[in-house]
């Protein structure tokens, strides 16, 4: 046993090598072995690592992960371990504590982030090959949460000696992510949103009422603590209704679990609804939205992702383009993304247009309501579209609200029925919004992709536990068996401390150069202060959406067309538009009115929702496919040019400040303080050329991360270059948003 102890960034890394095999070949291509790498395959209690002295082509652009090397796979990311014996024609899926009766000649790892990694043992000793395969299968299926590596990994002390928070804070003392783990965080959120008729409730301190609720949450002023204690027993898991957010009109967004006692249902619902009504300035009645009836369940979402993975990275793409696209449609993943976005728009309509409070109803209020409540706030509140605001939103609506990350990520591989990529579906919904309004978000799609990957690095309490109580109980002790006495007082780190994973330079990939304005609301001395940067009121809506200016409510004007591949053009009949106009509902009118006005990137944002408006999140789902790469192409080329332009503007503004004697960063230090990953040169007349290594997969490398039959000559390239997912002509013509 070898103890590896890393001291980077003042963190302790108690990683133990469990087993290893020498003379292992990592397969780079399924069709040829000439590019394969030779090295040592190592299984630790944290990851599967391949150590080689050979180098891969096109690897210079890859971000350097501080916890994982370029050939490393976290054990929590391993979905399936498959061993193969070519000679005997045998194959076996390995689980924990299983036996292997044959000597493997090949190991295939199917990963949750859509990678497929293959290793060959042609020159390795048969016994060492078998042992390392069994070790990987065993350690990727821990039987207890405390066997997860997060309990061995101990990061920086979460609170300093003065009680000041350490994780997630900007080294320069800037803004930090709100964690909503204390009453003062909720107080600030109440003041920020103007929810004057709501208060912080402390009856769950010590998790006395419900283990899955946070210790502090917000309730109507008119509801007394004694009443809440009395009503708690009538709700599933004693989950009292939770306040999420307040619209500027005074309408509240509330989430609530179902009432388990039918005899008390009407009485309790009336009392809760009455209290919420009293909190509204106009005493508007409450609208209840039943998510269980209107949205797919967690099993449907899981089945859709499995089909999507099969289509994207496991099955070879079909020669027929239409068959591949129809397979993609039949997975229903894009349909579910659209369904959640559409439901969020309906809730926004009730808050924004009808001016009524909304209650999101879900049986246990721990899955679907997390998605909808966040999407509504992203559409309505520009603060949630900033980096720290978005992270605070996840803290509030997912982490502290009791989303079952441990079960839904299936870190323990115990119950496949509980596994569901609800959080990944949410990130896909956010990406769809980002893709339609990129200038409205402070962060990039690289940030969203990395955030999705962080679920499979189980060292952060953010994505490791099922509820606040479980998180609090396990966070009191970072138990490293060999140094237990020394480490008892240390605590888990949060995912928002990105310096644990990436350097400051790599973190600049999170900064969006398109972000045209920002609004920062904070509370100082009990007063709400807002700092706003506004642009001129020009009509940028058509350009930003990338759609015909006459496109309203998902339908085409008489002179507009939407081009389809092979010169096929779909045009919706004008008489159909007239029929829709006659049958238009108030919510459809609200949406049509929104799209008839110039977009305000710091105001309300509604997504276009026809199937042709939604795209596959290529950077996440197709990044490992070598044939899917577009060298020197894809969105990264625009990102490069915009980053250079933004950096050049910052550099010139800094020089102007220095000229005026108003301070500024010295020119030789500008590059270090730049917020852009790609920087301008000191001579603006000679802009830097795009680096040779740029491709549509940037900053991820598909080389060696997806080993299956190639897809050259397939219609995928057309799809990647902008082709949309289309339904049949009749389905599209009858479709409404």
């Amino acid at each position: 046993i070898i103890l590896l102890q890393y001291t980077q960034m003042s963190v302790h890394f108690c990683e133990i090598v469990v087993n290893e095999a020498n003379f292992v070949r990592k397969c780079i291509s399924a069709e040829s072995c000439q590019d394969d790498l030779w090295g040592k395959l190592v299984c630790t209690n944290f990851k599967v690592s391949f150590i080689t002295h050979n180098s891969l082509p096109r690897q210079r652009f890859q971000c350097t992960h501080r916890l994982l090397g370029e050939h490393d796979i976290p054990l929590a990311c391993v979905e399936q371990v498959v061993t193969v014996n070519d000679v005997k024609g045998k194959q076996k899926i390995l689980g924990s504590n299983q036996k292997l009766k044959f000597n493997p000649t090949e190991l295939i790892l199917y990963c949750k982030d859509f990678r497929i990694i293959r290793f060959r043992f042609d020159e390795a000793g048969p016994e060492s090959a078998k042992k390392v395969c069994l070790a990987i299968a065993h350690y990727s299926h821990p039987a207890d949460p405390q066997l997860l590596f997060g309990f061995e990994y101990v990061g920086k002390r979460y609170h300093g000696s003065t009680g000041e928070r350490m994780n997630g804070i900007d080294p320069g003392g800037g803004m930090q992510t709100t964690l909503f783990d204390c009453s003062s965080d909720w107080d600030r959120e109440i003041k920020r949103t103007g929810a004057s008729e709501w208060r912080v409730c402390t009856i769950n301190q010590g998790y006395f009422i419900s283990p899955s609720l946070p210790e502090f949450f917000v309730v109507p002023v008119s509801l007394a603590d004694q009443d809440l204690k009395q009503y708690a027993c009538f709700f599933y898991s004693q989950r009292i209704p939770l306040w999420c957010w307040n619209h500027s009109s005074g309408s509240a967004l509330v989430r609530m679990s179902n009432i388990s006692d039918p005899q008390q249902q009407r009485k309790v619902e009336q009392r809760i609804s009455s209290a919420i009504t009293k909190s509204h300035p106009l005493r508007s009645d409450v609208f209840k939205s039943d998510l269980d009836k209107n949205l797919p369940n967690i099993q449907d979402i899981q089945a859709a992702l499995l089909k999507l993975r099969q289509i994207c990275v496991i099955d070879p793409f079909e020669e027929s383009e239409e068959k591949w696209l129809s397979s993609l449609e039949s997975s229903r993943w894009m349909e579910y993304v659209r369904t959640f976005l559409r439901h969020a728009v309906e809730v926004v309509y009730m808050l924004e247009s009808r001016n009524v409070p909304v209650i999101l109803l879900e049986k246990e209020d721990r899955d679907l309501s997390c998605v909808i409540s966040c999407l509504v706030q992203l559409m309505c509140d520009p603060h949630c579209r900033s980096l720290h605001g978005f992270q605070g939103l996840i803290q509030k609506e997912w982490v502290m609200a009791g989303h079952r990350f441990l079960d839904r990520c299936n870190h323990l591989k115990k119950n496949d029925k509980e596994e569901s990529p609800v959080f990944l579906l949410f990130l896909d919904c956010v990406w769809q919004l980002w893709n339609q309004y990129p200038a409205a978000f402070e962060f990039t799609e690289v940030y969203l992709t990395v955030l999705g990957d962080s679920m499979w690095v189980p060292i952060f309490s953010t994505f490791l536990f099922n509820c606040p109580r479980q998180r609090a109980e396990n966070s009191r002790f970072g138990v490293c068996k060999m140094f237990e006495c020394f480490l008892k007082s240390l605590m888990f780190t949060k995912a928002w401390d990105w310096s644990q994973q990436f350097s400051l330079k790599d973190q600049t990939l999170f900064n969006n150069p398109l972000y045209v304005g920002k609004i920062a609301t904070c509370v100082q001395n009990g007063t709400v202060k807002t700092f706003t940067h506004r642009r001129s009121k020009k009509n940028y809506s058509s350009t930003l959406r990338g759609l015909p200016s006459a496109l309203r409510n998902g339908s085409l004007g008489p002179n507009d067309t939407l081009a389809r591949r092979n010169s096929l053009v779909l045009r919706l009949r004008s008489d159909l538009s007239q029929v829709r106009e006659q049958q238009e509902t108030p919510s459809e009118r609200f949406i049509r009115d929104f799209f008839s006005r110039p977009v305000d990137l710091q105001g309300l944002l509604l997504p276009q929702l026809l199937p042709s408006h939604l795209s596959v999140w290529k950077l996440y789902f197709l990044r490992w496919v070598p044939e899917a790469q577009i060298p020197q192409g894809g969105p990264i080329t625009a990102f490069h040019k915009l980053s250079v332009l933004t950096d050049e503007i910052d550099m010139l503004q800094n020089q102007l400040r220095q000229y005026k004697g108003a301070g500024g960063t010295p020119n030789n230090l500008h590059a270090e303080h730049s917020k852009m990953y790609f920087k301008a040169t000191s001579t603006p007349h000679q802009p830097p050329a795009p680096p040779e290594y740029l491709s549509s997969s940037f900053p991820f490398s598909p080389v060696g991360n997806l080993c299956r039959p190639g897809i050259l000559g397939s219609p995928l390239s057309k799809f990647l270059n902008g082709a949309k997912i289309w339904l049949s002509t009749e389905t599209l013509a009858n479709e409404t948003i």
Side-chain angles (χ1 to χ4, degrees), residues 219-467:
V219 298
V221 170
S222 59
L223 274 179
D225 286 354
Q226 194 59 38
D227 293 334
L228 290 170
K229 292 177 182 178
Q230 180 183 348
Y231 298 148
C233 61
F234 300 130
F235 291 93
Y236 274 96
S237 302
Q238 296 79 48
R239 288 182 63 87
I240 302 167
L242 296 176
W243 173 85
C244 302
W245 178 77
N246 247 48
H247 189 272
S248 57
S249 65
S251 300
L253 179 65
V254 181
R255 49 192 290 180
M256 185 173 85
S257 65
N258 289 352
I259 296 173
S260 56
D261 188 344
Q263 296 181 348
Q264 298 292 333
Q265 181 171 357
R266 184 174 180 181
K267 174 186 173 183
V268 176
E269 277 190 354
Q270 284 182 345
R271 182 68 183 92
I272 297 297
S273 298
S274 175
I276 295 174
T277 297
K278 289 179 181 178
S279 71
H280 194 280
L282 302 178
R283 300 297 189 264
S284 299
D285 290 335
V286 174
F287 173 78
K288 298 183 181 69
S289 176
D290 193 328
L291 304 185
D292 291 321
K293 290 182 179 179
N294 295 298
L295 297 173
N297 58 40
I298 61 171
Q299 289 81 17
D300 294 334
I301 297 171
Q302 172 69 359
L305 184 74
L306 293 178
K307 291 178 182 177
L308 183 65
R309 180 187 287 122
Q310 188 79 21
I311 294 164
C312 289
V313 299
I314 298 179
D315 289 344
F317 289 89
E318 302 290 344
E319 293 299 322
S320 167
E321 179 176 357
E322 295 301 322
K323 187 173 182 180
W324 192 87
L325 292 173
S326 63
S327 298
L328 198 57
E329 180 187 341
S330 67
S331 73
R332 305 192 73 180
W333 178 264
M334 297 301 298
E335 175 190 336
Y336 292 160
V337 168
R338 180 169 173 252
T339 300
F340 275 87
L341 285 168
R342 180 173 57 196
H343 196 87
V345 169
E346 292 171 358
V347 174
V348 169
Y349 162 70
M350 300 304 297
L351 293 166
E352 179 86 14
S353 182
R354 293 285 301 277
N355 193 15
V356 298
V358 176
I359 295 179
L360 304 177
L361 289 171
E362 186 188 3
K363 183 177 179 179
E364 292 192 45
D365 180 37
R366 301 178 74 176
D367 291 297
L368 310 181
S369 55
C370 299
V371 181
I372 297 299
S373 63
C374 281
L375 290 178
V376 169
Q377 293 173 68
L378 279 167
M379 293 177 191
C380 294
D381 191 345
H383 169 73
C384 299
R385 303 195 284 266
S386 68
L387 180 63
H388 288 287
F390 182 66
Q391 293 178 168
L393 182 67
I394 294 173
Q395 272 290 136
K396 180 176 66 170
E397 302 295 343
W398 291 83
V399 179
M400 300 310 295
H403 178 66
R404 291 191 178 97
F405 279 107
L406 183 67
D407 293 341
R408 297 295 177 255
C409 295
N410 202 11
H411 286 318
L412 301 183
K413 312 290 194 303
K414 276 188 174 181
N415 191 345
D416 292 342
K417 292 182 179 179
E418 292 293 325
E419 183 176 2
S420 182
V422 182
F423 187 69
L424 181 60
L425 181 115
F426 161 68
L427 292 180
D428 200 339
C429 291
V430 176
W431 181 84
Q432 301 294 337
L433 271 173
W434 182 95
N435 195 41
Q436 294 186 27
Y437 302 99
F441 293 84
E442 188 180 10
F443 46 84
T444 62
E445 68 171 328
V446 172
Y447 167 80
L448 290 173
T449 306
V450 169
L451 182 57
D453 290 343
S454 295
M455 288 187 292
W456 317 125
V457 187
I459 61 175
F460 308 112
S461 63
T462 310
F463 304 121
L464 195 56
F465 300 108
N466 281 335
C467 62

Side-chain angles (χ1 to χ4, degrees), residues 157-173:
R157 187 186 297 271
Y158 175 59
H159 287 279
S161 58
T162 60
E164 182 183 3
R165 294 180 182 177
M166 301 292 289
N167 287 358
I169 191 168
D170 187 285

Side-chain angles (χ1 to χ4, degrees), residues 69-141:
E70 60 180 336
H71 300 291
D72 292 349
I73 311 159
L75 289 170
C77 188
V78 176
E79 178 81 22
Q80 203 171 69
V81 180
V82 179
T83 51
V84 180
N85 185 294
D86 295 335
V87 179
K88 296 183 178 180
K90 292 185 177 181
Q91 178 175 308
K92 183 174 182 178
I93 300 174
L94 288 179
S96 181
N97 296 321
Q98 287 190 346
K99 294 182 179 180
L100 187 58
K101 295 183 179 179
F102 59 84
N103 293 323
T105 58
E106 184 176 3
L107 170 67
I108 307 175
L109 300 180
Y110 292 89
C111 305
K112 294 181 179 179
D113 62 359
F114 279 44
R115 284 185 288 174
I116 302 176
I117 316 291
R118 290 177 58 223
F119 299 100
R120 295 284 305 180
F121 301 115
D122 301 305
E123 303 296 330
E127 280 302 313
S128 62
K130 180 187 290 187
K131 288 180 179 179
V132 77
C133 290
L134 290 171
I136 292 171
H138 178 75
Y139 278 83
S140 63
H141 293 72

Side-chain angles (χ1 to χ4, degrees), residues 445-559:
E445 68 171 328
V446 172
Y447 167 80
L448 290 173
T449 306
V450 169
L451 182 57
D453 290 343
S454 295
M455 288 187 292
W456 317 125
V457 187
I459 61 175
F460 308 112
S461 63
T462 310
F463 304 121
L464 195 56
F465 300 108
N466 281 335
C467 62
R469 178 178 176 177
Q470 186 185 45
R471 187 172 290 106
E473 289 177 348
N474 286 288
S475 293
R476 291 193 184 103
F477 301 96
V479 182
C480 180
K481 301 294 188 300
M482 299 185 68
F483 303 103
E484 185 169 358
C485 296
F486 178 68
L487 298 174
K488 267 190 175 180
S489 62
L490 299 182
M491 305 179 75
F492 281 98
T493 58
K494 308 294 181 185
W496 317 127
D497 185 2
W498 291 106
S499 60
Q500 297 276 335
Q501 300 185 64
F502 302 103
S503 67
L504 290 177
K505 175 177 171 54
D506 287 342
Q507 288 179 59
T508 57
L509 282 170
F510 299 168
N511 299 331
N512 185 1
L514 271 176
Y515 192 51
V516 298
K518 56 185 177 181
I519 179 169
T521 305
C522 64
V523 179
Q524 292 183 355
N525 299 324
T527 304
V528 178
K529 294 187 177 182
T530 304
F531 306 91
T532 310
H533 170 73
R534 297 189 183 277
R535 286 199 164 198
S536 57
K537 296 183 178 179
K538 294 182 180 180
N539 186 352
Y540 298 105
S541 57
S542 299
T543 304
L544 289 171
R545 295 195 184 97
L547 297 168
S549 58
L551 193 57
R552 302 291 178 258
N553 196 23
S555 62
L556 288 167
N559 298 320

Side-chain angles (χ1 to χ4, degrees), residues 606-651:
L606 297 182
Q608 297 275 8
L609 289 175
L610 282 181
S612 57
H613 297 139
L614 304 182
S615 305
V616 170
W617 186 6
K618 299 167 192 172
L619 188 62
Y620 189 89
F621 296 118
L622 297 173
R623 57 183 155 158
W624 309 121
V625 183
E627 299 84 356
Q629 279 196 103
I630 307 174
Q632 293 288 299
I636 187 59
T637 55
F639 178 82
H640 170 264
K641 292 184 181 299
L642 287 165
S643 297
V644 171
L645 180 60
T646 301
D647 188 63
E648 185 177 329
I649 292 172
D650 289 343
M651 183 170 60

